[in-house]
Amino acid sequence: MIRQLTAVGAALGAFTTSTPAIAAQCADRETVVERLAAHYDEQPTAAGLQTADDKQALVEVWSSRETGTFTVMMTMPDGKTCIMATGTDWHQQGPDAHVLGSAS
């Protein structure tokens, strides 16, 4: 799980230094989710909440086992979703599903 968090952290770090063109790739959540599923066969892989300025945002990784593509996105409380990073050759490490801090 530490490796997954490191990978997501690296992707988030890349976003903060990304070009404005990448940062500007935002739309309503429904549109983004439909495109990820239809064009890339991606499904939710991991998610977590980020809190900044007393607002929470949902950070998600969507990926496809078939194509190996992945997308890191952030959804704000108003429903606006921004693509933070995309790539290829995604591979899942460790347990497929568990929440840090929860009892197993």
Side-chain angles (χ1 to χ4, degrees):
M1 186 62 178
I2 297 299
R3 289 181 187 161
Q4 290 172 324
L5 292 175
T6 301
V8 171
L12 293 175
F15 173 67
T16 61
T17 60
S18 65
T19 62
I22 292 174
Q25 295 183 11
C26 301
D28 66 278
R29 179 177 170 73
E30 184 177 317
T31 300
V32 174
V33 167
E34 285 176 5
R35 288 183 183 164
L36 291 178
H39 295 285
Y40 302 100
D41 196 31
E42 292 183 5
Q43 300 296 318
T45 303
L49 294 176
Q50 177 187 32
T51 303
D53 299 327
D54 296 326
K55 295 180 183 176
Q56 285 191 329
L58 177 63
V59 178
E60 297 174 273
V61 176
W62 284 53
S63 66
S64 171
R65 291 180 190 242
E66 287 74 31
T67 66
T69 61
F70 70 92
T71 302
V72 179
M73 63 185 193
M74 179 181 288
T75 302
M76 302 307 292
D78 65 0
K80 180 179 177 182
T81 298
C82 296
I83 302 296
M84 300 169 53
T86 62
T88 61
D89 302 302
W90 178 264
H91 60 277
Q92 192 72 27
Q93 297 176 339
D96 282 343
H98 78 276
V99 177
L100 290 176
S102 68
S104 298

